[in-house]
């Protein structure tokens, strides 16, 4: 073997300095601080106290008794926030008993399903993504037989039992081709069914007693109709998967007619209608690597989608297209870096993976930037966070230093030396 | 829901799990050349009653390089793919070949050559993806275009991926912008024996023959583990991993018999031809051909390279025993998530591991991913690591995938320099596919398959500025006229073009 030296993790060394996990006050000193709210502070300091950011600035003094981290030469950013995925609802995608992401097509409920009921903070996906700097995520159920996935939760990646930041934080709907597949195989059907749901939900909101007493078709489950209440009242964002330019235009009309809070997911042709989206004040969660005419509804996909939407004034965030909605949320940084390579300003890319998702979920006053008073989700990086060769050296969630180990790193340690040894591989790591 | 998920799942469950192919041994490179020479022989008996020889490549390549200039590129950081890095290096392209590679002042421009100043830029061999389904699972992705998996029988060694390739797949153009100059297209992984792969050059053509890499050996795709047993578990089997193995072994036994039948026939024919007596009778009759067994016998003959989709370490070790049992070589394990657990076995058996940087968790057999997989495989003496895509998006950024694998290795104390790691996406796949004598490195005499990057390619910000294939400038990021656009992307919007390379 070549050069199999001892595993010397810089992060581990950093942590020794940060010490005890229960530390109440942490002073991260002399790093390059990307606040994502007020620019970049060279030789900047971030003081964390009681789970919140106490101070951000240059030339601050570490409070008495604080654990001091020397971040010289390091980059400090807010924790990454994944705005769309199904973290905590799936372990192995193809193993049914470990996958709660979507009900089967014949299951009658949709909007009523609540991610918070099954979100598993002990999922092994959480430490893997946490080691990549992800501190918050939207855990969203995906649509099964109905147009709706259900109630999404905002969670932190601490792995603690109480890691749900906000349940029922957003409702998920699928339109476009996915909606058509659930609505008689046309997009016309999907829009008609969506309107019907919204009308029913309004009707229920206006007079619940009357609604449940009156004879109605019973086409929709009552619990689904109830679940859409916060959507039709405009309190809760409705995440709508839609890709084509025409689909987005129709959605904007619907948003205006029903006065909804909408977040678009997908928008592979979003740049075609960027001004309309911006005028309608709709944020967009997109996959910046989607550049193939995979379906007829995204013929105009381009790597410049993110840059063009941003230039038009649209707030953007990133997600992985279906298939990687939980395991590799950590690749947000690579997505952001590629968006930069194709025209998105670096600062806007960083905002897309920190501040913007927090704002989309109505948590912009609590999370997403490094500002005094906010929840202390902070990452210290060994270089440009958007570069594929960098990684976090320390991660803080709610002001607590996080363990950056995970089962992948344990497997590495077990198998890095393949010599037979004194005992089978199965005994390694238990020392 | 079915409709929506179909695309993602088809790719993930079958594509991602599917093909394998490629080979890597120097010895087999020679075999490949021999095979390709044989491929040029007429399929049938000569007029003088020669023996029947089934054609090895009845759909031969019609690829012809496009005209390029004589170009001297100077001032770049050159990674040759042979483990060498030349700062302020020059590459001379002439007549479609690499004429010279060296330090700045060691290479001079012949008369009439155009000189390109590439200061600050990096030059590497063209990127090669050993695992692609472009053309077989093209864009747009729908029932009409889904041609990657012949899911009708556990053994479809009789199908050939090239017969499914749609040359108009827009994915080829996007891959070109990622610096990809050659690739192996494989059938999917639903079956124990998925069928033959084909090696192509990433140059658009009206037919797949126009893309086929001249004289490249064929591969055979096989699949371990979950996919075949899932697909056939309720369709007559195999329904278990032991069923998978029984299926492979029965097929090899059949193939041995088939091979012997033909070997015996050729021997008998030779005896007959050598017999000068007047009463020697008619020439021996040739056995009947069987497409499936012809491919399998081609493996046993050493003409066709085994590419085996295999995630789990224990299965790879069993497959290596099976290869010994039937005396064939496994060239590459694809999707070798657990290669790091048996990297020593793989190196000892001269087998490459083609891996992703960080995909994981879509199946149980993909649970044990480590980011250091490629580095650990590479670190074995004689180890052969390859980064592959199995994805129409991933193929566009193999440089970034390699960069992640380098970084993870470095943090684990395995420091692999860019000059060595570049082989993961160039020389190693070329070796495994049997085309290293022609491409995969920057060496005088080889095809001028070259990428000029705007910077160090192992960065998220790196982009291919120029891509030469056989010396012809097939992509130039700054020149829209040097960007292929497939028929499908014509006139979709405002009677203009959508897509194209670099989209």
């Amino acid at each position: 073997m070549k050069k199999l030296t001892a595993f010397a993790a810089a992060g581990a060394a950093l942590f020794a300095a940060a010490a005890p996990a229960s530390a109440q006050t942490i002073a991260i000193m002399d790093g390059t601080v990307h606040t994502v709210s007020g620019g970049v502070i060279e030789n900047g300091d971030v003081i964390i106290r009681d789970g919140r950011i106490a101070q951000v600035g240059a030339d601050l003094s570490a409070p008495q008794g604080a654990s001091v981290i020397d971040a010289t030469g390091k980059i400090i950013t807010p924790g990454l926030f994944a705005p769309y995925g199904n973290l905590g609802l799936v372990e192995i995608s193809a193993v049914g008993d470990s996958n709660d992401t979507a009900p089967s097509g014949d299951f009658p409920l949709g909007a009523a399903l609540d991610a918070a009921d099954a979100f598993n903070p002990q999922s092994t996906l959480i430490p893997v993504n946490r080691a990549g700097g992800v501190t918050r995520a939207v855990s969203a159920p995906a649509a099964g037989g109905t147009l709706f996935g259900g109630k999404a939760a905002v969670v932190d990646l601490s792995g603690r039992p109480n890691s749900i930041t906000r349940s029922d934080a957003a409702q998920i709907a699928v339109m476009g081709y996915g909606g058509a597949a659930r609505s008689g195989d046309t997009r016309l059907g999907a829009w008609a069914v969506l309107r019907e749901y919204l009308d029913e939900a309004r009707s229920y909101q206006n007079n619940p007693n009357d609604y449940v007493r009156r004879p109605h078709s019973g086409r929709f489950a009552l619990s689904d109709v109830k679940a859409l209440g916060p959507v039709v009242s405009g309190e809760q964002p409705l995440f709508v998967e839609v890709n084509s330019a025409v689909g987005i235009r129709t959605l904007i009309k619907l948003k205006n007619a029903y006065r909804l809070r909408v977040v678009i997911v997908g928008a592979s042709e979003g740049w075609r209608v960027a001004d309309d989206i911006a005028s309608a004040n709709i944020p967009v969660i997109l996959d910046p690597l989607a550049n193939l005419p995979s379906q007829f509804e995204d013929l105009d996909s381009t790597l410049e989608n993110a840059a063009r939407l941003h230039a038009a004034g649209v707030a953007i965030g990133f997600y992985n297209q279906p298939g990687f909605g939980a395991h590799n949320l950590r690749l947000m940084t690579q997505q952001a870096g590629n968006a930069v390579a194709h025209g998105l300003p670096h600062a806007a890319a960083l905002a897309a993976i920190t501040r913007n998702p927090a704002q989309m979920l109505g948590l912009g006053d609590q999370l997403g930037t490094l500002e005094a008073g906010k929840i202390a989700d902070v990452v210290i990086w060994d270089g440009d966070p958007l570069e594929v060769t960098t990684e976090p050296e320390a991660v803080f969630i709610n002001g607590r230093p996080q363990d950056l180990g995970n089962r992948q790193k344990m497997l590495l340690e077990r198998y890095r030396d393949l010599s037979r040894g004194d005992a089978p591989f199965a005994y390694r790591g238990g020392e | 829901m079915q409709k929506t998920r179909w695309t993602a799942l088809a790719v993930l469950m079958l594509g991602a799990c599917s093909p394998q192919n490629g080979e890597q041994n120097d010895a087999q490179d020679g075999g490949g050349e021999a095979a390709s020479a044989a491929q040029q022989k007429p399929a049938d008996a000569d007029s003088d009653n020669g023996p029947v020889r089934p054609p090895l490549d009845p759909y031969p390549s019609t690829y012809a390089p496009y005209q390029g200039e004589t170009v001297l590129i100077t001032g770049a950081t050159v990674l040759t793919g042979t483990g060498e890095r030349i700062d302020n290096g020059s590459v001379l392209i002439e007549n479609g070949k690499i004429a010279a590679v060296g330090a700045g002042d060691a290479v001079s421009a012949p008369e009439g050559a155009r000189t390109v100043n590439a200061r600050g830029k990096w030059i590497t061999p063209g990127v090669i993806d050993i695992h692609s389904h472009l053309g077989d699972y093209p864009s747009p992705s729908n029932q009409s275009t889904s041609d990657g998996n012949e899911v009708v029988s556990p053994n479809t060694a009789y199908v050939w991926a090239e017969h499914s390739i749609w040359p108009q797949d827009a994915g080829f153009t996007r891959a070109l912008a990622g610096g990809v100059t050659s690739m192996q297209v494989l059938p999917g992984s639903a079956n124990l024996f998925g069928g033959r792969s084909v090696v192509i050059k990433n140059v658009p053509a009206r037919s797949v023959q126009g893309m086929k890499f001249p004289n490249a050996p064929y591969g055979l795709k096989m699949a371990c583990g979950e996919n075949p047993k899932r697909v056939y578990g309720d369709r007559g089997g195999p329904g278990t991993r032991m069923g998978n193995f029984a299926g492979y072994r029965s097929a090899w036994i059949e193939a041995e018999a088939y091979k012997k039948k033909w070997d015996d026939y050729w021997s008998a024919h030779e005896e007959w031809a050598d017999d000068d007596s007047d009463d020697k009778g008619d020439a021996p009759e040739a056995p009947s051909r069987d497409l499936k067994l012809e491919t399998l016998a081609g493996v046993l003959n050493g003409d066709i390279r085994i590419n085996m989709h295999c995630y789990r370490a224990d299965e790879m070790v069993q497959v290596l025993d099976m290869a010994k049992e039937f005396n064939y070589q496994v060239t590459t394990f694809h999707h070798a998530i657990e290669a790091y657990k048996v990297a020593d076995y793989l190196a000892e058996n001269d087998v490459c591991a083609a891996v992703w940087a960080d995909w994981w968790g879509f199946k149980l057999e993909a649970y044990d991913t480590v980011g250091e997989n490629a580095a650990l495989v590479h670190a074995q003496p004689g180890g052969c690591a390859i980064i592959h895509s199995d994805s129409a998006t991933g193929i566009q950024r193999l440089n970034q995938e390699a960069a992640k694998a380098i970084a993870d290795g470095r943090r684990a104390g395995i420091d692999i320099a860019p000059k060595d790691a570049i082989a993961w996406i160039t020389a190693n796949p070329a070796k495994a596919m049997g085309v290293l004598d022609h491409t995969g490195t920057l060496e005088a005499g080889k095809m001028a398959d070259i990428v000029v990057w705007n910077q160090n390619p192992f960065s998220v910000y790196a982009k291919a500025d120029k891509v030469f294939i056989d010396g012809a400038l097939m992509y130039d990021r700054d020149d829209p006229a040097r960007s292929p656009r497939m028929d499908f992307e014509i006139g979709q919007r405002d009677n203009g073009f959508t897509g194209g390379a670099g989209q």
Side-chain angles (χ1 to χ4, degrees):
Chain A
M1 293 213 186
K2 299 175 196 167
K3 294 185 190 169
L4 284 189
T5 59
F7 185 51
L14 212 50
F15 263 126
S22 58
Q24 296 292 296
T25 305
I26 299 161
I28 305 168
M29 308 301 286
D30 300 320
T32 301
V33 180
H34 291 254
T35 62
V36 195
S37 56
V40 178
I41 307 169
E42 301 294 342
N43 295 315
D45 313 312
V46 178
I47 312 295
I48 297 170
R49 185 183 296 127
D50 297 332
R52 298 267 166 178
I53 296 171
Q55 276 180 290
V56 179
D59 299 323
L60 302 179
S61 306
Q64 190 94 31
S67 301
V68 177
I69 298 173
D70 178 5
T72 305
K74 312 296 181 190
I75 306 285
I76 303 163
T77 70
L80 307 186
F81 195 136
Y84 191 64
N86 36 47
L87 187 69
L89 299 180
V90 58
E91 204 66 19
I92 305 296
S93 310
V95 175
D97 88 291
S98 79
N99 187 338
D100 286 324
T101 55
S104 57
D106 55 359
F107 185 72
L109 301 182
L113 306 185
D114 189 345
D117 285 335
F119 173 78
N120 174 19
Q122 293 179 50
S123 165
T124 60
L125 281 67
I126 288 175
V128 169
N129 283 301
R130 187 169 66 214
V134 185
T135 59
R136 302 275 157 172
V138 170
S139 178
T146 77
L147 290 178
F148 298 97
K151 303 169 182 176
V154 176
V155 302
D156 70 47
L157 275 77
S158 66
R160 295 160 65 97
N162 59 346
S163 54
I164 291 181
T165 310
R166 179 181 288 177
S167 59
D168 204 3
Q171 178 63 237
I172 308 299
V174 56
M175 299 302 289
Y177 182 41
R182 294 165 174 84
S183 313
D185 280 333
T186 68
R187 291 173 180 80
L188 290 65
W191 291 116
V193 172
L194 179 58
R195 284 194 197 93
E196 203 176 340
Y197 266 111
L198 297 174
D199 289 339
E200 293 283 310
R202 267 186 174 175
S203 175
Y204 175 84
Q205 286 287 98
N206 290 341
N207 193 333
N209 289 335
D210 186 50
Y211 182 90
V212 296
R213 274 200 304 270
R214 82 183 153 100
H216 65 92
S217 68
R219 218 166 102 69
F220 304 136
L222 182 59
S223 59
D224 277 359
V225 172
K226 277 186 184 176
L228 292 172
V231 170
V232 291
S233 66
E235 297 158 34
Q236 184 176 83
L238 179 66
F239 282 35
V240 184
E241 280 190 36
V242 61
N243 279 297
S244 68
V246 61
I248 291 168
R249 284 197 194 96
T250 303
L251 177 64
I252 292 172
K253 280 185 225 159
L254 185 129
K255 168 199 156 59
N256 292 336
Y258 285 85
R259 295 185 189 145
L260 306 175
R261 272 181 70 193
V262 166
V263 174
I264 296 176
V265 177
S268 58
E269 293 192 335
W271 67 274
R272 277 267 174 195
V273 285
D275 291 339
D276 296 337
I277 298 173
S279 308
N281 199 23
I282 299 176
V284 169
I285 300 168
L286 63 118
D287 181 346
L289 303 184
N291 69 337
L292 288 157
S294 305
Q295 315 276 301
F296 275 81
E297 65 184 16
D298 45 29
L299 294 177
D300 244 345
S301 302
T302 168
L303 296 173
E304 294 183 1
N305 197 19
R308 292 176 188 174
L309 283 166
H310 168 76
V314 178
I316 56 170
F318 301 135
Y319 83 120
N320 290 311
Q321 280 197 327
F324 296 92
H327 293 86
N328 278 343
L329 299 174
R330 56 184 174 166
L331 297 183
M332 253 191 297
T333 50
Q334 186 181 6
Q335 294 180 304
N338 276 280
V340 171
H342 291 88
L344 186 67
H346 191 279
L350 194 54
I353 58 178
T354 56
R355 184 190 67 205
N356 296 357
Q359 291 175 342
M360 289 176 196
L361 274 303
L363 292 164
D365 57 339
Q366 296 290 314
L367 289 159
T369 65
L370 298 180
E371 291 176 274
K374 284 200 173 175
I375 294 169
D377 283 10
V378 182
V379 182
I380 305 176
W381 302 82
D382 62 4
D384 174 4
L386 307 192
E387 183 54 273
V388 282
T389 51
T390 57
E391 74 168 11
E393 293 190 348
V395 173
F396 301 86
I397 296 176
N398 295 317
R400 290 190 186 87
Q402 301 295 305
D403 179 3
L404 298 188
N406 54 51
R407 72 184 299 278
Q408 298 186 356
K409 291 179 182 174
M410 293 173 75
L411 283 163
L412 164 68
E413 289 311 311
R414 171 168 279 189
Y415 286 100
R416 58 184 301 130
D417 175 4
L418 294 177
S419 59
R420 182 176 158 85
D422 298 332
F425 286 91
Y427 292 78
R428 293 189 187 178
E431 301 88 353
Chain B
M1 167 181 187
Q2 273 71 16
K3 244 168 112 179
T4 309
R5 294 192 138 191
W6 184 83
T7 305
L9 285 184
V11 171
L12 202 56
M13 307 314 299
L14 296 175
C17 303
S18 41
Q20 350 213 359
N21 127 13
E23 280 214 349
Q24 68 173 22
N25 306 310
D26 295 336
Q28 295 206 354
D29 283 339
E33 290 308 306
S36 56
Q39 283 165 14
Q40 304 312 312
K41 288 183 186 169
D44 223 278
D46 292 339
S47 53
D48 61 350
N49 287 336
V52 174
R53 289 190 186 275
L56 291 180
D57 185 1
Y59 306 84
S61 170
T62 58
Y63 168 75
Y66 283 84
Q67 185 66 44
E69 297 175 280
T70 300
V71 182
L72 177 66
I73 311 171
T74 63
T77 302
V78 180
L79 304 180
T80 61
T82 60
E84 200 183 346
R85 168 181 170 148
I86 307 167
D87 292 311
N88 189 22
S90 297
V91 177
L92 177 62
I93 301 171
E94 198 169 15
N95 298 321
K97 305 286 187 195
I98 296 165
V101 180
D105 45 8
V107 182
S108 54
E111 196 162 339
R114 192 162 64 86
T115 299
V116 176
N117 183 347
R119 192 161 304 278
K121 300 186 188 297
W122 289 52
I123 298 178
T124 70
V127 176
I128 299 176
D129 189 2
I130 196 170
H131 194 120
S132 175
H133 298 293
L134 288 180
D136 281 3
Y137 282 121
S139 302
S141 166
N142 52 52
Q143 190 76 45
S144 298
T145 61
S146 172
D147 286 318
N149 249 316
E150 182 71 2
V151 192
V152 298
S153 160
N155 186 346
T156 60
Y158 49 80
V159 304
W160 296 25
E162 66 197 76
H163 296 145
S164 274
I165 290 180
W166 184 39
Q168 298 292 345
D169 181 359
F172 289 120
T173 69
R174 311 302 198 270
L176 179 65
V180 175
T181 55
S182 299
M183 71 191 81
Q184 173 168 248
V185 177
L186 302 136
S189 59
N191 308 338
L192 301 176
F193 296 89
R196 281 200 204 192
S197 64
V198 65
V199 179
I200 60 175
K201 300 216 81 161
N202 193 15
V203 174
R206 287 177 295 166
S207 69
V208 70
Q209 292 95 319
M211 303 177 77
K212 282 176 75 172
F213 196 114
N215 300 327
Y218 276 109
L220 172 63
K221 168 72 175 295
M222 292 179 65
C224 290
E226 290 185 24
N227 286 13
K229 79 188 199 93
R230 184 184 67 245
V231 172
Y232 294 101
D234 55 2
R235 296 167 61 180
T240 60
R241 283 181 167 82
M242 59 188 170
N244 288 354
F245 262 79
Y248 309 133
R249 297 175 75 209
S250 304
W252 291 127
I253 290 167
E254 228 186 319
E256 282 179 328
Y258 182 80
K259 176 179 181 305
K260 181 172 189 306
K261 205 157 51 169
W262 278 90
D263 288 346
D264 288 350
Y265 157 71
W266 287 318
S267 301
H269 195 282
E270 198 176 333
E271 266 178 47
W272 174 84
D274 289 347
D275 185 347
D276 293 334
S277 61
D278 294 337
D279 58 349
K280 67 177 184 176
D282 293 339
E285 201 171 322
S288 9
R289 288 178 63 191
D290 179 302
L291 281 177
K292 179 175 78 180
L293 295 172
E294 206 164 280
T295 290
L296 297 180
V299 173
L300 299 180
N301 284 331
D303 294 335
I304 297 176
R305 300 177 166 230
I306 289 292
N307 293 266
M308 190 136 193
H309 146 135
C310 224
Y311 288 69
R312 251 171 46 180
D314 56 313
E315 287 182 290
M316 290 185 238
V317 174
Q318 301 212 61
V319 166
L320 292 175
D321 269 357
M322 178 167 64
K324 290 193 184 89
E325 182 183 8
F326 295 99
N327 194 29
Y328 68 90
Q329 172 74 26
V330 177
T331 311
T332 305
F333 285 117
H334 294 231
H335 316 334
I337 291 271
E338 295 188 3
Y340 67 97
K341 297 184 184 177
V342 290
D344 48 351
Y345 282 86
L346 301 183
E348 282 158 22
N349 285 277
D350 215 5
V351 184
C352 294
V355 304
W356 298 288
D358 48 23
W359 287 20
W360 71 291
F362 42 94
K363 300 191 291 182
L364 192 56
E365 62 190 6
Y367 197 32
D368 283 2
T369 288
V370 301
E372 298 79 5
N373 200 11
L376 289 166
V377 168
H378 178 101
Q380 287 287 329
C384 172
I386 294 171
I387 302 287
H388 68 358
S389 83
D390 191 23
S391 156
T393 53
I395 194 173
Q396 303 176 39
R397 281 170 288 278
L398 286 170
N399 58 313
Q400 291 179 25
E401 298 307 295
K404 290 187 284 188
I406 294 170
D408 283 342
R410 187 182 64 236
R411 281 187 285 260
I414 309 163
D415 209 351
I416 300 168
K419 65 189 168 108
D420 295 317
I422 191 68
W424 297 349
I425 56 173
T426 58
N428 289 358
K431 185 173 70 162
M433 288 151 58
V435 294
L436 183 59
D437 288 348
H438 307 291
T439 189
T441 62
L442 301 181
E443 292 177 279
K446 286 199 177 182
M447 294 168 165
D449 296 344
I450 294 169
V451 185
V452 181
W453 304 87
N454 64 338
Q455 60 167 84
N456 180 340
F458 299 115
S459 162
V460 78
Y461 305 117
K463 291 192 279 195
D465 274 351
K466 291 180 168 55
V467 182
F468 295 88
I469 301 181
D470 284 297
L473 181 58
M474 301 310 293
Y475 174 67
D476 184 338
R477 194 156 60 90
D478 297 323
D479 181 0
R482 295 279 180 185
S483 170
R485 295 181 172 88
M486 296 311 194
D487 292 353
F488 180 73
E489 298 192 286
I490 287 183
Q492 296 285 1
R493 290 288 184 276
D494 307 325
N495 292 331
F497 292 102
T498 53
Q503 176 68 357

